Amino acid sequence: MPNPPRPRYPDADPHPAPEYPTSAPTYPTAPPQDQAATPLDSHGSPSPGSGPAQPPHPHDMAFAQRRVHLKEQQRGADATTVGQLLLHVPGFVCSLALVAGVSYLLLPDLGWLPTVLWIASGALAFHRPTESFFARHVLGLRYPTLQERDQLAPVWQEVTARAGVDGRTYELWVEESDDLNALAAAGHIVGVTRFSLDHLPNGQLAAVLAHELGHHTGGHAWSSLLGYWYALPGRLAWSALRSATRFALLVARHISPAATGVIFLVAGSFVVFLTFSVWFIVLPLLIAPYLIAAVGRRAELRADRHAAALGFAPMLSEVLVAMHTEERAAESAALQAGAPAHRPGFLASLLSSHPDHHTRLHHLEPYLRPRG
């Protein structure tokens, strides 16, 4: 039997030297910054319904942390604040006379004590626990959640840094509302609606907060609250008198027409007597609501200017346009539903505390022009 052929071995070196790469290895690069990652589920697969990344909104701003220079004067009282306080003087005088009269009627020897306490109660507008009670139970606000606070904190810090104001002086609150709105109240309250938090880009949210900060730094918030508080006893008395008169007229109609005439005669005589005897009080009381509303509209324009001076004019103008569009949509929906068109009359427009959107946009126009 022939021998099998010998196996053939390679001629190369049985122990060749290892080969090393001549260039550095390449690694996968991260996606560009302007492309958001596709959301993944718990298994690492794309989430259902997740489409391509949306481009960022022009008013999404990067708020970098920087050194803050605080102004020496953190807040003041501008011309609208002084005017508002002066216009509330007639209401304060009437309320003071009412409180003093009732106090001395109930406590002849200590009638001065309730009066002094009522006057001193205005300081509670700057008392933090009282402000919190007012915000929660009167204005219907709540503390922001941790997520909402994380969203608000950098925006508020940017606004206060530009204004040179210590942001820790004020408290941020949230209103459970589907309206695009915000508010400034008392001495330290800044509120914003949940809708604004959920739908506004952070630049527009900063513009809204800058507007409300302008109300605080100008003194509009606390002066408005003090005016309302000190006029409240007189308003309550006037409301009670009107309710009593209406009730008396309702009862008189069931008795006889003559009784109704007597009620009208007595009420009319009382009004005429007050008008001619204390006209210097009655006349300002009749005119004051219209003047206070006019001053309030001027305060809104000043707060707009405060936000625009901080660099938020384009963002604020977009917010005003959105609010105007929302109001028009609500009016159109009401008309389609068969509701009558509700247009405020001339006197009602004079009692409005906010200017119309066209007026506010007109006053923002100088801040929207490119600087030459």
Side-chain angles (χ1 to χ4, degrees):
M1 181 176 180
N3 294 328
R6 295 182 179 181
R8 184 176 181 180
Y9 297 94
D11 298 333
D13 186 0
H15 302 287
E19 296 182 0
Y20 296 95
T22 58
S23 61
T26 58
Y27 297 95
T29 58
Q33 293 293 335
D34 57 348
Q35 295 181 0
T38 303
L40 303 178
D41 58 12
S42 59
H43 302 286
S45 302
S47 299
S50 61
Q54 297 296 329
H57 194 278
H59 292 160
D60 277 328
M61 305 173 65
F63 296 139
Q65 304 300 321
R66 63 181 184 277
R67 193 172 220 174
V68 178
H69 174 72
L70 299 181
K71 292 182 179 179
E72 183 178 357
Q73 185 179 4
Q74 291 285 292
R75 70 168 79 197
D78 58 22
T80 57
T81 299
V82 176
Q84 194 172 46
L85 291 175
L86 291 177
L87 290 173
H88 277 105
V89 169
F92 169 75
V93 172
C94 292
S95 295
L96 178 62
L98 181 63
V99 171
V102 174
S103 299
Y104 279 100
L105 182 63
L106 298 178
L107 301 171
D109 298 331
L110 297 175
W112 59 271
L113 182 59
T115 306
V116 171
L117 292 177
W118 175 73
I119 296 175
S121 64
L124 294 177
F126 303 95
H127 184 238
R128 295 293 186 130
T130 305
E131 280 189 278
S132 299
F133 179 87
F134 176 75
R136 185 181 297 274
H137 298 286
V138 178
L139 300 178
L141 306 179
R142 61 169 174 82
Y143 288 118
T145 63
L146 292 178
Q147 182 180 1
E148 292 168 342
R149 187 172 295 277
D150 291 340
Q151 182 181 356
L152 281 170
V155 180
W156 180 244
Q157 187 171 357
E158 176 68 17
V159 170
T160 54
R162 293 191 185 190
V165 173
D166 187 0
R168 298 171 297 180
T169 304
Y170 303 95
E171 292 185 359
L172 299 176
W173 294 75
V174 176
E175 179 184 2
E176 282 292 339
S177 173
D178 292 331
D179 296 329
L180 176 56
N181 198 9
L183 61 92
H188 310 91
I189 296 174
V190 177
V192 63
T193 61
R194 181 179 49 79
F195 180 89
S196 301
L197 279 177
D198 293 341
H199 294 85
L200 289 184
N202 58 2
Q204 294 183 11
L205 182 61
V208 171
L209 294 178
H211 172 92
E212 304 306 331
L213 180 62
H215 282 310
H216 276 298
T217 57
H220 311 155
W222 64 262
S223 63
S224 177
L225 179 60
L226 285 183
Y228 173 81
W229 173 250
Y230 283 128
L232 187 59
R235 291 185 179 185
L236 292 177
W238 176 247
S239 178
L241 182 61
R242 290 177 58 185
S243 300
T245 304
R246 290 177 180 176
F247 180 76
L249 289 174
L250 182 63
V251 173
R253 288 175 183 175
H254 291 281
I255 297 176
S256 66
T260 305
V262 170
I263 297 296
F264 270 113
L265 181 61
V266 172
S269 301
F270 180 73
V271 171
V272 171
F273 170 77
L274 286 180
T275 302
F276 284 96
S277 60
V278 287
W279 61 268
F280 50 89
I281 295 180
V282 175
L283 188 61
L285 286 176
L286 295 177
I287 301 177
Y290 298 96
L291 297 179
I292 291 174
V295 172
R297 292 193 293 270
R298 179 59 56 179
E300 292 297 326
L301 295 178
R302 284 179 175 266
D304 286 348
R305 187 171 65 186
H306 178 270
L310 297 182
F312 297 112
M315 301 79 169
L316 184 58
S317 64
E318 289 293 331
V319 173
L320 293 176
V321 170
M323 294 175 66
H324 183 59
T325 304
E326 183 178 330
E327 290 181 1
R328 286 294 184 88
E331 292 178 0
S332 300
L335 290 176
Q336 292 178 359
H342 178 69
R343 294 284 182 178
F346 177 71
L347 292 180
S349 63
L350 292 179
L351 289 174
S352 175
S353 60
H354 284 66
D356 59 84
H357 299 297
H358 299 290
T359 301
R360 297 178 70 176
L361 290 172
H362 174 73
H363 282 80
L364 284 177
E365 186 178 354
Y367 297 92
L368 300 173
R369 298 172 184 167
R371 297 181 180 179

